[in-house]
Amino acid sequence: MRLRITHETRYEYSPPVEHALHMAHLKPPSTRYQTLLAHGLNISPTPTVLDEKIDVYGNARSFFEICETHEALIVRASSLVETLPPAEIQSTINWEGVRDAFIYHAGIEWHRAAEFVFPSTHIHPGPDFAAYARPSFPPGRRLIDGARDLMHRIHNEFVYAANSTQISTPAADALANRRGVCQDFSHVMLACFRSLGLPARYVSGYLLTEPPPGMSRLIGSDASHAWVSIYLPDAAAKNGGHGWYDLCPTNLRDGWGAPGDDYVRLAVGRDYADISPMRGVIHGTGSHTMRVGVTVEPTETLALSD
Amino acid sequence: MPADSRFPNAEAGHYDELHGRAASSNAARGPASEASLSPLWKEFFRHLGEPGWQSLNRSSALIKRQLRDNGVTYNLYADDTDMQRPWSLDLFPFLVSSADWKHIEAGVLQRVRLLNTVMADVYGEQRLLKDGLLPAALVQGHPDYLRSMHGVSPVGGTYLHIVAFDLARGPEGHWWVVSQRTQAPSGLGYMLENRLAVTSQFPRAFQGMNVRRLAATYRALIANLKRQAPGGSDSHIAMLTPGPHNETYFEQSYLARYLGVSLVEGSELTVRNERLYLKTMHGLQAVHGLIKRVDDAFVDPLEARPDSRLGVPGLLQAIRAGNVLVANAPGAGFLESSALLGFIPELTRRLQGESLKLPALHTWWCGEPAALQEVLPRLGECVIKPTYPWSLSRGTFDVGVGPLMSPEVLQSWAQAIQRSPDEHTIQAYLPPSQVPTWSDSHHAPHIEPRSAILRVFAVSNGENSWQVLPGAMTRLVSASAGLASMAMGGSSVDTWVMHEEPPGDDPRLTTGFSSIAAPLTASTPTLMHRESQITSRAAENLFWLGRYTERAENSSRLARIILQTLHGDEEPSSSVLTWLGQLAIWGGLTPASSPSPVDDRYEFERALIRSLCDLQVPSVGYTLSNLRHAGAALRERLSHEHWSFIKEVEERFKVDCGELLTADPSSSDAIRALSHSGSALASITGAQNDRMWRDDGWYLLLVGRQIERLSTLATALLLGLNTKAVHDAAGFAVVLDLFDSTISFHARYQRSNETQALIEHVVTSQQNPRSLGLVTQDLTTRLQHLHRHDRGNDEVLSLRLRVVHPDDLPSLCETSEAGDFAALREYLSHSVESCSELSQMIGLRHFTHTGEARQSV
């Protein structure tokens, strides 16, 4: 499927800002299931410095600096991505086997996934998460089955409530209240996995949504999306390291490397804090507002804009 | 006291430094005597001699006084300067033989090389993780592992420039590594201060015993940082401090001065175009190297903790771009984990092909099941330490000492360890060797053996090359704790490392100890090129120090004059009362809501007295407290007396005012308090005129003072003319008193009360230091000096001022259609306006960056 994504972030400042530094994670990677055909990052006002580097997780990360006084900052990322439906996966490893593979002993076999077992900014594993996860992981169950079960439970037991939470809402609150948005569902699920010693990472990206019947697609009406990935060492061993299996508790979709061809991956990290689309420090005393508009649409063209 | 009982044995189980005796020979030890002392201590006491021994109490007291006078402190996370605690230093040094030192030096060098290699690997190829030599839990699982540094090679190639190792001598006399500090080790400053204080008490022993000096190593460090930094040998190096509230701020400022580097807070730095700059009063100055005393998590709010106020946004990007050297490279915090010690022997074999020269205490990281099984039954003989210094998800815990635990407590520890094994590290318990310390009790002063841990520093002196500072910051610990921390109430001792060779004729080795603490720059003129930078923050504080000094003086004077006039023998007219009421409100001496003296003199007076020390009203007490704050922020630039004056005037006034807050305050008591603060403020002015370095910062201080003076006096006179109070005898006297001109005026004009004479004296006179003409002239000259380097397109600020000359007197006194003294009034209001403009323009030009708040979005 060929998808065109426009992700526009607009900050307005009052009084104007004289100097600003920003970090952006807005460029989708090419993976086994998606190919980045074209990409553009337009920033207004024009930055003095714009530097793209690959971060520790393999994501493209842009640093930019604005040295002129500005009342508004507009960052528009446009991407054209070709996606493939995920392939079937064979994984029989049980969850205890995965857990034990990450307990250190001298000469332990190395997995790149090792760092996704630990606590991170928003993921604080603990007994509450372990207790919630437990029913999905009886002794000897395959990890992939347990993970799907956990995804179902979160989907069924949690209320999706837009605007009910903030970026800083702790996963513990979302668990206690059984409500949140995709980011909270993902954080809860990650904390469950890690509480059991299982590596799991946060995925940010986009999802193609169908407009209501009879309605046309509204520009900017979509949002960026988030889901999780778990690591299946047996699949990785047989497939050149490709062991990440994606699960989207919000929409109950899952698949090897992507939940589906209507999903586009933007970045991966331990949690939202590692890969927030925009992060910055401005010099100024005033207040600011931020608006984000995302449009995901199917397209036949090879151009970024019509 | 018989000489034999002077030298008590160490406690059982400890190595005895004084007698050079292992714990295992305790059983065989005889009665303590001078003959049984170790060779070094024998020599020490020989140099001391009997008279020296007899005056040990005096020496001990001198050390304490010296530390107090020098203001050596260790803050206990204080948010108030009153919470500072004096640094604690014991009299005797720790003596280390050259043979012991050789061993320590080789071991420390091997370890620092290894740690630098581990750092390079972990932020680069990660071979050690891939080969299973290091657990991911101790790298990516460590909260101080800094992902932003992945793939970054530091400018100059060295990650670790300053590394500290805590060492202890075990019961049998062997040296052991207890822990290591790689993030922002403290101690280099205290170590110098200790050396200075202790050697001044034992000059003969210090010279006679051929003790190794410290200065050359500090010099090597700073020279190397400059060499490796992008600016080359002329690099500008600064030290990044968390600020005066940090526990080791004293040593940071001491060390910064000694090394000749600027001490700056994060808010004084800025990153532009991927380069680091210091905000100074003359604009942005490039910084090429940073000695970092801020923890890594706070170093850059853009990428690390967004709530940090201590760091510099963009610093990590500047590091990645290779534009700044940071010592140590951010991200070294994970190397401090005790858990790592257990992996070092194998890493040394694999990476260096060597065996360890200096062992660490046996250490088990419980995240490894085999280690956990091995150590669980031995908890009672061990110390339990947190693997991580802090945790994202839960609090950390204090160290547990096995030998001090009951079986029940041990059991609960064992359970906690099994619940979260990764977070626990177990280390063998080591009773550190005991050194003689001096107990200066009056009745029975004596030597008391106490356990000590040495903090030894390795500093870089080239790419991948280090040297060990021949000395140590040694801390005394309670025998039970098994570890030392100043925060836990320890004390410190100086550490003398002996030269291998006996003292020769080389005068460099035998010259006096007094050179030890002279700033490095003094002995190395090549380092002195850079003119000291006045940061925007310092500039702003200097400007306000000037303004507050003058404001405090003016408002003390004004308050006193008002009170005296209300009770004077000349009954004030209603125009004078109106004027005084306006002055009181304008000067912040009474709240705007209080009644005018025309309506209720008694209530007005009460309000004025009550407000003197009310910090909600910008009266005298409020201004004195602002003065103190500005002074505190400039502590390093002010002479000791200058700072004491500032503190004393504020404290004394507070006490005096306390007595005024009775139901019926007496104006004579208030007048006395105000006169006292007035004369105390005159000493501050004296210190500012006479005892300060006359750089541009000083000029800014004077400019601040003169702007304040001009604007206050011009306003007072303008209001006096408007109310016509100046034409009244009482009003006339008030003007003279306000301008501090009573005596000089009467000397010149006898008892004249002609307004023209008054105006000549306080406006156009060229001799009166408070005449507006002279103040304006001085201000103009000072502004011109301050802006002597300005380029053509900068506005010449002094042109905003209107200068008056004696020739202008007739026109200023003219009466025109617009009314009496119209020209003078116009001149006065113009002056007041230009003062406020100037203040703003100076702010924009010299400290525009300081006020700029920053926020994460």
Side-chain angles (χ1 to χ4, degrees):
Chain A
M1 192 180 287
R2 185 171 301 167
L3 297 170
R4 183 168 60 195
I5 301 132
T6 314
H7 186 151
E8 189 179 280
T9 311
R10 188 187 185 95
Y11 289 94
E12 279 172 12
Y13 310 110
S14 168
V17 165
E18 281 170 38
H19 182 251
L21 299 167
H22 290 273
M23 284 278 182
H25 281 101
L26 288 167
K27 183 180 180 183
S30 288
T31 69
R32 289 217 298 177
Y33 298 106
Q34 70 183 39
T35 308
L36 183 65
L37 300 172
H39 176 77
L41 183 67
N42 291 303
I43 301 167
S44 164
T46 308
T48 318
V49 177
L50 174 60
D51 174 46
E52 184 187 294
K53 283 197 163 64
I54 300 300
D55 74 7
V56 68
Y57 309 104
N59 308 305
R61 183 186 60 186
S62 296
F63 166 92
F64 61 89
E65 174 178 352
I66 296 173
C67 283
E68 64 182 274
T69 304
H70 54 292
E71 292 176 343
L73 168 68
I74 303 164
V75 179
R76 174 198 283 244
S78 317
S79 308
L80 197 62
V81 179
E82 185 85 50
T83 62
L84 294 172
E88 286 299 306
I89 190 173
Q90 295 295 316
S91 171
T92 55
I93 190 164
N94 65 29
W95 72 272
E96 295 99 327
V98 178
R99 176 194 64 195
D100 295 347
F102 290 90
I103 295 176
Y104 179 80
H105 56 84
I108 187 174
E109 189 193 346
W110 160 255
H111 296 288
R112 198 163 278 287
E115 74 169 295
F116 296 98
V117 184
F118 308 117
S120 55
T121 313
H122 294 299
I123 310 295
H124 305 165
D128 291 349
F129 292 106
Y132 183 79
R134 228 16 115 178
S136 299
F137 294 96
R141 190 171 204 179
R142 288 177 181 175
L143 173 56
I144 191 168
D145 295 337
R148 283 182 180 137
D149 186 68
L150 180 64
M151 171 178 72
H152 272 93
R153 288 175 52 224
I154 291 175
H155 183 80
N156 294 337
E157 295 168 18
F158 281 57
V159 176
Y160 187 91
N163 304 322
S164 65
T165 56
Q166 314 231 310
I167 284 162
S168 55
T169 299
D173 289 358
L175 177 69
N177 301 325
R178 299 286 198 272
R179 64 192 288 133
V181 296
C182 60
Q183 179 184 288
D184 304 305
F185 290 6
S186 301
H187 280 163
V188 167
M189 200 164 168
L190 289 171
C192 286
F193 285 126
R194 292 190 204 164
S195 297
L196 299 180
L198 301 167
R201 67 185 188 184
Y202 183 93
V203 189
S204 72
Y206 307 103
L207 170 62
L208 175 68
T209 54
E210 285 308 317
M215 307 270 280
S216 61
R217 188 175 302 280
L218 295 172
I219 300 302
S221 64
D222 297 334
S224 49
H225 191 48
W227 59 96
V228 308
S229 242
I230 54 161
Y231 187 72
L232 303 169
D234 59 339
K238 280 180 281 180
N239 296 284
H242 294 284
W244 289 104
Y245 189 82
D246 287 19
L247 303 120
C248 173
T250 312
N251 296 308
L252 216 52
R253 299 273 302 279
D254 57 297
W256 187 18
D261 64 353
D262 45 352
Y263 281 72
V264 173
R265 185 211 290 180
L266 186 53
V268 294
R270 292 169 302 160
D271 60 40
Y272 175 83
D274 282 337
I275 50 169
S276 55
M278 289 280 298
R279 174 172 179 168
V281 177
I282 55 169
H283 285 116
T285 48
S287 58
H288 68 270
T289 58
M290 185 184 81
R291 267 183 305 151
V292 180
V294 174
T295 308
V296 182
E297 53 193 341
T299 180
E300 299 304 317
T301 67
L302 268 172
L304 273 179
S305 56
D306 298 316
Chain B
M1 182 190 295
D4 284 0
S5 60
R6 282 180 175 176
F7 305 109
N9 293 313
E11 287 169 53
H14 295 264
Y15 182 86
D16 186 331
E17 293 287 343
L18 187 58
H19 300 94
R21 205 158 41 196
S24 58
S25 55
N26 277 356
R29 70 185 175 184
S33 73
E34 186 155 3
S36 67
L37 294 184
S38 81
L40 284 177
W41 279 106
K42 204 176 280 173
E43 200 186 340
F44 180 87
F45 284 110
R46 188 170 57 75
H47 286 294
L48 183 66
E50 190 56 29
W53 174 273
Q54 293 304 336
S55 57
L56 284 174
N57 264 2
R58 194 173 154 268
S59 301
S60 180
L62 284 172
I63 284 190
K64 283 193 185 117
R65 188 194 304 166
Q66 183 178 349
L67 293 182
R68 201 179 50 232
D69 288 353
N70 290 354
V72 189
T73 55
Y74 184 88
N75 298 351
L76 287 170
Y77 298 101
D79 46 10
D80 194 275
T81 42
D82 298 340
M83 287 279 291
Q84 287 176 344
R85 195 179 66 193
W87 178 249
S88 174
L89 172 62
D90 201 79
L91 185 54
F92 295 126
F94 192 118
L95 303 180
V96 185
S97 72
S98 62
D100 275 334
W101 189 255
K102 230 169 140 177
H103 174 64
I104 290 172
E105 196 169 29
V108 162
L109 285 176
Q110 183 190 41
R111 278 178 178 266
V112 69
R113 263 198 307 275
L114 181 82
L115 292 179
N116 197 66
T117 310
V118 171
M119 180 90 175
D121 176 79
V122 156
Y123 286 105
E125 211 192 344
Q126 300 194 327
R127 200 69 256 158
L128 300 176
L129 289 165
K130 289 169 185 164
D131 291 348
L133 288 169
L134 266 184
L138 299 185
V139 181
Q140 290 111 327
H142 195 289
D144 285 325
Y145 177 68
L146 200 58
R147 286 162 175 81
S148 299
M149 285 297 289
H150 189 82
V152 179
S153 36
V155 59
T158 305
Y159 288 84
L160 306 175
H161 292 275
I162 303 169
V163 180
F165 294 89
D166 287 337
L167 307 179
R169 199 202 298 253
E172 298 311 307
H174 304 297
W175 290 94
W176 300 88
V177 173
V178 180
S179 59
Q180 55 213 11
R181 289 284 168 265
T182 50
Q183 212 180 152
S186 61
L188 284 176
Y190 289 124
M191 192 164 156
L192 283 168
E193 182 71 40
N194 284 358
R195 171 60 59 94
L196 188 66
V198 169
T199 52
S200 66
Q201 297 311 317
F202 303 115
R204 283 176 55 196
F206 183 69
Q207 291 189 51
M209 293 177 75
N210 201 8
V211 178
R212 290 180 63 178
R213 310 300 163 93
L214 305 174
T217 309
Y218 285 84
R219 204 174 297 141
L221 168 68
I222 202 76
N224 181 54
L225 291 181
K226 290 190 176 199
R227 228 174 12 246
Q228 293 198 13
S233 60
D234 194 35
S235 287
H236 178 197
I237 310 285
M239 184 182 291
L240 177 62
T241 171
H245 298 314
N246 185 260
E247 51 176 358
T248 62
Y249 184 73
F250 169 81
E251 87 144 5
Q252 293 163 24
S253 68
Y254 187 88
L255 186 61
R257 229 173 325 171
Y258 182 78
L259 295 175
V261 305
S262 334
L263 183 70
V264 298
E265 293 178 34
S267 59
E268 297 177 81
L269 296 167
T270 185
V271 169
R272 299 286 153 110
N273 211 350
E274 304 182 305
R275 289 168 196 280
L276 184 65
Y277 292 94
L278 178 63
K279 304 167 188 171
T280 76
M281 63 176 288
H282 292 308
L284 299 179
Q285 306 280 336
V287 175
H288 310 98
L290 211 52
I291 300 172
K292 174 178 65 68
R293 291 294 291 263
V294 167
D295 281 350
D296 294 343
F298 296 93
V299 96
D300 180 351
L302 181 62
E303 297 185 49
R305 288 180 63 150
D307 55 344
S308 166
R309 314 306 295 172
L310 305 178
V312 190
L315 179 60
L316 289 166
Q317 180 70 14
I319 294 173
R320 280 194 292 266
N323 290 333
V324 60
L325 175 148
V326 178
N328 293 335
F334 79 96
L335 293 171
E336 296 189 354
S337 174
S338 301
L340 204 67
L341 290 173
F343 295 88
I344 298 283
E346 182 60 19
L347 289 174
T348 309
R349 266 190 296 279
R350 296 285 282 265
L351 293 174
Q352 301 182 331
E354 297 175 357
S355 58
L356 260 188
K357 294 173 181 161
L358 188 61
L361 297 180
H362 266 294
T363 306
W364 295 264
W365 174 57
C366 297
E368 186 174 357
L372 177 64
Q373 292 321 312
E374 188 181 311
V375 78
L376 267 183
R378 305 163 64 170
L379 279 187
E381 309 144 32
C382 293
V383 174
I384 306 165
K385 293 180 164 182
T387 302
Y388 308 118
W390 56 286
S391 160
L392 284 161
S393 46
R394 51 185 147 248
T396 179
F397 56 90
D398 287 336
V399 172
V401 183
L404 303 180
M405 290 179 189
S406 67
E408 296 75 36
V409 175
L410 269 177
Q411 185 58 34
S412 74
W413 270 104
Q415 285 162 357
I417 292 168
Q418 282 166 302
R419 268 197 305 275
S420 50
D422 284 16
E423 294 173 23
H424 293 84
T425 296
I426 315 290
Q427 203 168 55
Y429 174 75
L430 177 91
S433 68
Q434 293 200 321
V435 292
T437 66
W438 186 246
S439 174
D440 57 359
S441 90
H442 273 298
H443 310 296
H446 63 281
I447 282 181
E448 191 179 303
R450 294 193 49 195
S451 301
I453 289 185
L454 280 69
R455 175 165 288 190
V456 174
F457 290 86
V459 303
S460 67
N461 62 1
E463 186 173 349
N464 289 314
S465 167
W466 292 265
Q467 69 190 75
V468 180
L469 185 60
M473 221 284 289
T474 298
R475 291 163 301 164
L476 300 175
V477 283
S478 67
S480 56
L483 81 165
S485 161
M486 277 296 162
M488 293 162 69
S491 179
S492 65
V493 300
D494 189 21
T495 308
W496 293 5
V497 174
M498 303 306 144
H499 263 292
E500 215 161 336
E501 303 301 319
D505 295 332
D506 185 347
R508 277 172 306 163
L509 297 179
T510 48
T511 44
F513 50 86
S514 57
S515 63
I516 300 161
L520 284 181
T521 45
S523 54
T524 46
T526 48
L527 301 178
M528 280 189 66
H529 283 319
R530 196 171 299 280
E531 212 179 309
S532 83
Q533 309 271 2
I534 299 160
T535 66
S536 294
R537 187 177 59 103
E540 184 169 26
N541 284 314
L542 282 161
F543 180 74
W544 282 101
L545 185 72
R547 289 202 70 161
Y548 286 134
T549 307
E550 182 71 21
R551 188 176 295 176
E553 221 179 319
N554 287 334
S555 56
S556 292
R557 180 184 296 274
L558 182 59
R560 173 182 57 74
I561 292 172
I562 292 175
L563 291 172
Q564 281 172 343
T565 308
L566 292 175
H567 295 276
D569 51 25
E570 200 114 37
E571 177 60 21
S573 65
S574 74
S575 62
V576 168
L577 288 176
T578 309
W579 181 42
L580 294 182
Q582 288 177 356
L583 284 176
I585 289 175
W586 180 82
L589 297 177
T590 54
S593 58
S594 50
S596 152
V598 183
D599 302 330
D600 188 341
R601 273 163 75 163
Y602 178 71
E603 257 315 306
F604 169 77
E605 187 181 319
R606 270 175 55 114
L608 187 140
I609 293 175
R610 238 184 291 115
S611 302
L612 284 177
C613 217
D614 181 350
L615 294 185
Q616 308 302 315
V617 181
S619 180
V620 180
Y622 174 87
T623 305
L624 289 175
S625 129
N626 280 345
L627 175 61
R628 182 178 177 161
H629 281 145
L634 292 163
R635 195 55 199 82
E636 284 137 54
R637 296 179 63 99
L638 306 182
S639 69
H640 192 65
E641 294 88 343
H642 191 170
W643 171 237
S644 304
F645 289 153
I646 292 176
K647 262 192 335 195
E648 281 163 18
V649 63
E650 195 246 2
E651 283 161 12
R652 169 80 189 263
F653 191 72
K654 227 188 263 175
V655 172
D656 288 349
C657 282
E659 293 165 9
L660 289 176
L661 293 178
T662 54
D664 193 16
S666 125
S667 65
S668 58
D669 286 346
I671 289 169
R672 201 169 317 120
L674 289 164
S675 304
H676 188 274
S677 69
S679 46
L681 283 158
S683 347
I684 295 177
T685 313
Q688 288 171 358
N689 286 340
D690 231 32
R691 319 201 72 163
M692 285 182 79
W693 186 250
R694 300 197 168 183
D695 55 11
D696 284 354
W698 181 76
Y699 277 86
L700 207 47
L701 179 148
L702 291 195
V703 164
R705 227 162 65 188
Q706 276 151 336
I707 286 180
E708 184 72 26
R709 178 174 295 184
L710 181 58
S711 117
T712 308
L713 294 180
T715 305
L717 193 54
L718 182 62
L719 294 174
L721 287 165
N722 289 347
T723 54
K724 304 200 187 302
V726 295
H727 307 306
D728 184 285
F732 198 95
V734 169
V735 173
L736 286 176
D737 204 352
L738 258 181
F739 280 74
D740 197 14
S741 298
T742 312
I743 292 172
S744 57
F745 181 82
H746 292 314
R748 294 178 68 210
Y749 293 102
Q750 285 76 43
R751 288 278 146 196
S752 163
N753 55 3
E754 271 195 46
T755 313
Q756 183 156 350
L758 180 72
I759 292 169
E760 189 281 328
H761 198 81
V762 302
V763 179
T764 58
S765 160
Q766 297 286 297
Q767 276 94 42
N768 182 357
R770 285 178 172 250
S771 89
L772 302 183
L774 197 56
V775 173
T776 313
Q777 219 172 74
D778 284 354
L779 185 51
T780 303
T781 318
R782 265 135 199 181
L783 279 171
Q784 281 165 351
H785 176 85
L786 203 53
H787 297 142
R788 64 199 178 281
H789 301 307
D790 276 4
R791 285 174 301 261
N793 52 355
D794 290 327
E795 185 197 335
V796 181
L797 290 185
S798 56
L799 292 181
R800 289 185 177 241
L801 291 164
R802 196 187 295 166
V803 181
V804 287
H805 299 285
D807 306 347
D808 298 325
L809 184 62
S811 66
L812 289 174
C813 295
E814 258 171 38
T815 301
S816 71
E817 289 158 23
D820 291 350
F821 303 102
L824 176 57
R825 287 209 289 237
E826 204 275 322
Y827 162 73
L828 292 173
S829 51
H830 177 270
S831 296
V832 173
E833 246 167 67
S834 26
C835 282
S836 112
E837 284 166 20
L838 273 180
S839 189
Q840 223 168 9
M841 303 300 291
I842 286 168
L844 281 177
R845 186 167 309 180
H846 297 294
F847 23 95
T848 165
H849 304 298
T850 32
E852 75 186 7
R854 59 179 199 233
Q855 43 182 317
S856 294
V857 295

